[in-house]
Every structure is written in C-alpha cells, then in structure tokens.
Amino acid sequence: MSETSAFVVSADWLQERVGQPGLSIVDASWYLPAQGRDGRAEYEAAHIPGAIFFDQDKVVEPQSDLPHTLPHPGLFAQFASSMGVDEKDTIVVYDGPGMFSAPRVWWMFRIMGAKDVFVLDGGFDRWKADGRPVTGEPTKIAPGFFEVDFDAARVASLGDMRSIVEDGSMQIADARPAGRFAGTDPEPRPKMRSGHMPGARNVPAPSLSKDGKLLPVDELRAVLEAAGLDLSRPVVTSCGSGVTAAVISLALASVGHEDNRLYDGSWTEWGGRDDTPVVTGKD
C-alpha cells in the first residue's frame, strides 16, 4: 500500500475527533476571482462543527502593498490567539477543493511555531458530499494564547530570490499553471509580466493531488523529480501570491525534504517589477 503523507488527516480521523479539547479546526478557504466562490460566505453557510475561519486576505502584513504577505510574528500571534488557537493544539486546516489554499495556512502555522498541523485530505467539498456533519452556527471562540517561535529561514524575500536566481544556490519550484509559467497565458493580476524566473521548474499545484487528496508519497516524489527537481538539494517554492506555493511545500515535507523555503512575494512581486529577469518557454 502506498504511503500517505504524515501531514494530512482523513475525514474519518477528523470526524471521530470533532469537539475534542486541544483540537483546532481551521477553514482556510480562499479563491481566485475566476473560481467564483466566496470562502467566508461559504463558511458562514456551512462548516465543520467547531471550525473557525482564517481569512487569508486579512491575516496579512498591513504595511505590505502585496497580497497575502506573511504578517510579522507578533501580529500573527494576535490573529491566532483571537481565533482561539494555541501553538500546542492539534491544528487541522481545510479548504473547499482539498489541496488549494489550506496548505498555505498549514505552512503559516508551522513556521510560526505550531508542531501538530495537518491538512484535511479531500477538503470540505468531499466532506459535504459524503454527508458528514456540518453546521451554519457560529463557532463559540474562547480566546487562546499562541506563543510564536518564528522560523525565518523558511521564508524567502525578494533580495534572497535575486541571489538565488543569480547563483543557483537553491532550486526554484513554481506552482502556477503551465501556461502562465511559460508566458503563453496572461497573469490574472493587471500590469504583470508573464513567464518565470530564470532556472525555475514548473510544478503546477494541481499535479500534486487527485480529487482533492494529496498524492501518495511515492507519487509525489515522482512528480517532483519529473519536473526536474533534485530532492537532495535545497528548494524554494513560488506561485502567484504565495498561496499555492505551499502545496509544493507540503509535498516536499511529505517526501522528507526539509531544506526548503517559500518565496512570500512570489510572482506578484517578481513579475510586477521591471528590474527582475523574466524568461518564457517551458524551461
């Protein structure tokens, strides 16, 4: 039997534990405009009992003009504590489709010091389709205390990326769709160049899951290697705005790859400038 990632939990596992002390269930649903879905509205209509909503457009650094910029550790602690989440909790994050926006919040909690963080395999769409319990009742939140232990080495800045592109010290894995990576399809955000960073490899986020479930570990390894990544070397992940890059981060962690970072500004920062090198084509 194929090995399942140690960082995902099944719907059966979660359903058995709903309501238990020390379990925080986090709805991290976020969507691109083209998807035509509203994460907060869907949460308010129906969510897993006890789940709290993590707004990825609001839990950000207020001083940044980029979307989804990681908030500074103290601010993240305030957000998490107000949601009733402690760093010692078992934290299960989910989104609608299964492996789209939830891994970003999984990554955020982990780099901020939480140890037991997982993604719900299959997502909330499958949870509902299977007839599992949902509620539209607001979750009663008792304020928590999230003690931050920030791992800055897991985050790459624009300056870091300039150096990486120049010296090749890390491999770059880009989670955007193949057309945007190659420069044949436009970016969804205005005034942004198409293409990719020199030397980057394309690992489209959907290639790492099937029907909302993360691929088995051996298949994840095969997809990553087929994209041209050497799993014995460091990797930095990127995407449009730092959300789906974390799907690759989750895949890397699942195959035991530990020396990786996420480029928080991602293509919104890199492709939105006129002083950063951009190439087109599949390679």
Short mmCIF file of all heavy atoms in Angstrom, two decimals, residues 70-71 73 107-115 146-156 258-262:
data_model
loop_
_atom_site.label_atom_id
_atom_site.label_comp_id
_atom_site.label_asym_id
_atom_site.label_seq_id
_atom_site.Cartn_x
_atom_site.Cartn_y
_atom_site.Cartn_z
N LEU A 70 3.05 37.56 4.54
CA LEU A 70 3.07 36.97 5.89
C LEU A 70 3.12 38.08 6.94
O LEU A 70 3.99 38.95 6.89
CB LEU A 70 4.31 36.08 6.00
CG LEU A 70 4.42 35.21 7.25
CD1 LEU A 70 3.40 34.07 7.19
CD2 LEU A 70 5.84 34.64 7.34
N PRO A 71 2.20 38.08 7.92
CA PRO A 71 2.27 39.10 8.97
C PRO A 71 3.48 38.86 9.87
O PRO A 71 3.95 37.73 9.99
CB PRO A 71 0.96 38.91 9.74
CG PRO A 71 0.54 37.51 9.48
CD PRO A 71 1.06 37.16 8.11
N PRO A 73 5.56 38.16 13.22
CA PRO A 73 5.20 37.14 14.21
C PRO A 73 4.25 37.62 15.31
O PRO A 73 3.30 36.91 15.68
CB PRO A 73 6.55 36.72 14.78
CG PRO A 73 7.51 36.95 13.66
CD PRO A 73 7.02 38.18 12.97
N TRP A 107 1.30 25.85 6.34
CA TRP A 107 2.68 26.35 6.35
C TRP A 107 2.85 27.51 7.33
O TRP A 107 3.83 27.56 8.08
CB TRP A 107 3.05 26.78 4.92
CG TRP A 107 4.38 27.43 4.77
CD1 TRP A 107 5.60 26.80 4.69
CD2 TRP A 107 4.64 28.83 4.66
NE1 TRP A 107 6.60 27.74 4.55
CE2 TRP A 107 6.05 28.99 4.52
CE3 TRP A 107 3.83 29.97 4.66
CZ2 TRP A 107 6.64 30.24 4.40
CZ3 TRP A 107 4.42 31.22 4.53
CH2 TRP A 107 5.82 31.35 4.40
N MET A 108 1.90 28.43 7.35
CA MET A 108 1.99 29.59 8.24
C MET A 108 2.03 29.16 9.70
O MET A 108 2.88 29.63 10.47
CB MET A 108 0.81 30.53 8.00
CG MET A 108 0.85 31.24 6.66
SD MET A 108 -0.66 32.21 6.32
CE MET A 108 -0.40 33.63 7.37
N PHE A 109 1.13 28.29 10.10
CA PHE A 109 1.12 27.84 11.49
C PHE A 109 2.42 27.14 11.86
O PHE A 109 2.97 27.33 12.95
CB PHE A 109 -0.07 26.91 11.75
CG PHE A 109 -1.35 27.63 12.11
CD1 PHE A 109 -2.45 27.58 11.27
CD2 PHE A 109 -1.44 28.35 13.29
CE1 PHE A 109 -3.63 28.24 11.60
CE2 PHE A 109 -2.62 29.02 13.63
CZ PHE A 109 -3.72 28.97 12.78
N ARG A 110 2.94 26.34 10.92
CA ARG A 110 4.17 25.61 11.20
C ARG A 110 5.37 26.54 11.37
O ARG A 110 6.16 26.39 12.30
CB ARG A 110 4.44 24.58 10.11
CG ARG A 110 3.65 23.29 10.29
CD ARG A 110 3.71 22.41 9.06
NE ARG A 110 5.03 22.17 8.55
CZ ARG A 110 5.87 21.22 8.98
NH1 ARG A 110 5.51 20.42 9.98
NH2 ARG A 110 7.05 21.05 8.41
N ILE A 111 5.51 27.52 10.47
CA ILE A 111 6.69 28.39 10.59
C ILE A 111 6.57 29.35 11.76
O ILE A 111 7.56 29.93 12.20
CB ILE A 111 6.98 29.16 9.28
CG1 ILE A 111 5.89 30.18 8.99
CG2 ILE A 111 7.20 28.22 8.12
CD1 ILE A 111 6.31 31.20 7.96
N MET A 112 5.35 29.49 12.28
CA MET A 112 5.15 30.34 13.46
C MET A 112 5.26 29.56 14.76
O MET A 112 5.08 30.13 15.83
CB MET A 112 3.80 31.04 13.38
CG MET A 112 3.73 32.11 12.29
SD MET A 112 4.86 33.50 12.60
CE MET A 112 4.51 34.54 11.17
N GLY A 113 5.54 28.26 14.69
CA GLY A 113 5.87 27.52 15.89
C GLY A 113 4.95 26.38 16.28
O GLY A 113 5.26 25.64 17.22
N ALA A 114 3.81 26.21 15.61
CA ALA A 114 2.95 25.07 15.92
C ALA A 114 3.59 23.79 15.36
O ALA A 114 4.19 23.80 14.29
CB ALA A 114 1.57 25.28 15.33
N LYS A 115 3.46 22.71 16.09
CA LYS A 115 4.10 21.45 15.71
C LYS A 115 3.14 20.46 15.05
O LYS A 115 3.50 19.77 14.10
CB LYS A 115 4.74 20.79 16.93
CG LYS A 115 5.73 21.67 17.69
CD LYS A 115 6.93 22.05 16.85
CE LYS A 115 7.94 22.86 17.67
NZ LYS A 115 9.03 23.39 16.82
N PHE A 146 -1.39 32.02 21.58
CA PHE A 146 -0.46 31.41 20.63
C PHE A 146 0.92 31.99 20.87
O PHE A 146 1.15 33.18 20.65
CB PHE A 146 -0.91 31.67 19.19
CG PHE A 146 -0.18 30.86 18.16
CD1 PHE A 146 -0.75 29.71 17.63
CD2 PHE A 146 1.08 31.23 17.72
CE1 PHE A 146 -0.07 28.94 16.68
CE2 PHE A 146 1.76 30.47 16.77
CZ PHE A 146 1.18 29.33 16.26
N GLU A 147 1.82 31.15 21.34
CA GLU A 147 3.20 31.60 21.60
C GLU A 147 4.04 31.33 20.36
O GLU A 147 4.26 30.18 19.97
CB GLU A 147 3.77 30.88 22.82
CG GLU A 147 5.15 31.40 23.22
CD GLU A 147 5.64 30.81 24.53
OE1 GLU A 147 4.87 30.13 25.22
OE2 GLU A 147 6.83 31.02 24.85
N VAL A 148 4.53 32.39 19.74
CA VAL A 148 5.24 32.28 18.47
C VAL A 148 6.69 31.84 18.64
O VAL A 148 7.37 32.26 19.58
CB VAL A 148 5.21 33.63 17.72
CG1 VAL A 148 6.20 33.65 16.57
CG2 VAL A 148 3.82 33.91 17.18
N ASP A 149 7.13 30.97 17.75
CA ASP A 149 8.54 30.62 17.62
C ASP A 149 8.82 30.63 16.12
O ASP A 149 8.77 29.61 15.45
CB ASP A 149 8.81 29.24 18.22
CG ASP A 149 10.29 28.86 18.15
OD1 ASP A 149 11.12 29.75 17.84
OD2 ASP A 149 10.60 27.67 18.37
N PHE A 150 9.07 31.82 15.59
CA PHE A 150 9.13 32.04 14.14
C PHE A 150 10.41 31.48 13.52
O PHE A 150 11.51 31.76 13.98
CB PHE A 150 9.03 33.54 13.86
CG PHE A 150 9.11 33.92 12.41
CD1 PHE A 150 8.34 33.27 11.46
CD2 PHE A 150 9.95 34.95 12.00
CE1 PHE A 150 8.41 33.63 10.11
CE2 PHE A 150 10.02 35.32 10.66
CZ PHE A 150 9.24 34.66 9.73
N ASP A 151 10.24 30.69 12.46
CA ASP A 151 11.37 30.12 11.73
C ASP A 151 11.60 30.94 10.45
O ASP A 151 11.08 30.61 9.38
CB ASP A 151 11.08 28.66 11.40
CG ASP A 151 12.27 27.94 10.77
OD1 ASP A 151 13.30 28.61 10.53
OD2 ASP A 151 12.17 26.73 10.52
N ALA A 152 12.36 32.02 10.59
CA ALA A 152 12.56 32.94 9.47
C ALA A 152 13.27 32.28 8.30
O ALA A 152 13.14 32.73 7.15
CB ALA A 152 13.37 34.15 9.94
N ALA A 153 14.00 31.21 8.55
CA ALA A 153 14.74 30.53 7.48
C ALA A 153 13.82 29.87 6.46
O ALA A 153 14.27 29.46 5.39
CB ALA A 153 15.68 29.49 8.08
N ARG A 154 12.53 29.77 6.78
CA ARG A 154 11.58 29.14 5.87
C ARG A 154 10.97 30.13 4.88
O ARG A 154 10.16 29.73 4.03
CB ARG A 154 10.46 28.47 6.67
CG ARG A 154 10.90 27.28 7.49
CD ARG A 154 11.21 26.10 6.61
NE ARG A 154 11.44 24.88 7.39
CZ ARG A 154 11.63 23.69 6.85
NH1 ARG A 154 11.64 23.54 5.54
NH2 ARG A 154 11.85 22.63 7.61
N VAL A 155 11.32 31.40 5.00
CA VAL A 155 10.73 32.43 4.16
C VAL A 155 11.81 33.09 3.31
O VAL A 155 12.87 33.45 3.82
CB VAL A 155 10.03 33.50 5.02
CG1 VAL A 155 9.26 34.48 4.11
CG2 VAL A 155 9.08 32.87 6.03
N ALA A 156 11.55 33.24 2.02
CA ALA A 156 12.49 33.91 1.11
C ALA A 156 11.95 35.28 0.72
O ALA A 156 10.76 35.43 0.43
CB ALA A 156 12.72 33.06 -0.14
N GLU A 258 13.56 18.66 3.80
CA GLU A 258 13.46 19.66 4.87
C GLU A 258 14.10 21.00 4.52
O GLU A 258 13.76 22.02 5.14
CB GLU A 258 14.11 19.10 6.14
CG GLU A 258 13.40 17.87 6.69
CD GLU A 258 14.03 17.35 7.97
OE1 GLU A 258 15.07 17.89 8.37
OE2 GLU A 258 13.47 16.40 8.54
N ASP A 259 15.00 21.03 3.56
CA ASP A 259 15.72 22.26 3.25
C ASP A 259 14.98 23.04 2.18
O ASP A 259 15.39 23.08 1.01
CB ASP A 259 17.15 21.94 2.81
CG ASP A 259 18.03 23.18 2.73
OD1 ASP A 259 17.53 24.28 3.01
OD2 ASP A 259 19.23 23.03 2.38
N ASN A 260 13.85 23.63 2.56
CA ASN A 260 13.07 24.39 1.59
C ASN A 260 12.50 25.65 2.22
O ASN A 260 12.30 25.74 3.42
CB ASN A 260 11.97 23.52 0.96
CG ASN A 260 11.02 22.94 2.00
OD1 ASN A 260 10.12 23.62 2.49
ND2 ASN A 260 11.23 21.66 2.34
N ARG A 261 12.25 26.63 1.36
CA ARG A 261 11.69 27.92 1.78
C ARG A 261 10.54 28.27 0.84
O ARG A 261 10.39 27.65 -0.22
CB ARG A 261 12.77 29.02 1.69
CG ARG A 261 14.06 28.67 2.34
CD ARG A 261 15.18 29.66 2.02
NE ARG A 261 15.04 30.88 2.83
CZ ARG A 261 15.92 31.88 2.81
NH1 ARG A 261 16.99 31.82 2.02
NH2 ARG A 261 15.75 32.94 3.56
N LEU A 262 9.75 29.27 1.22
CA LEU A 262 8.67 29.75 0.37
C LEU A 262 8.91 31.22 0.07
O LEU A 262 9.18 32.00 0.99
CB LEU A 262 7.32 29.54 1.05
CG LEU A 262 6.05 29.86 0.24
CD1 LEU A 262 4.90 28.93 0.65
CD2 LEU A 262 5.61 31.32 0.39
#
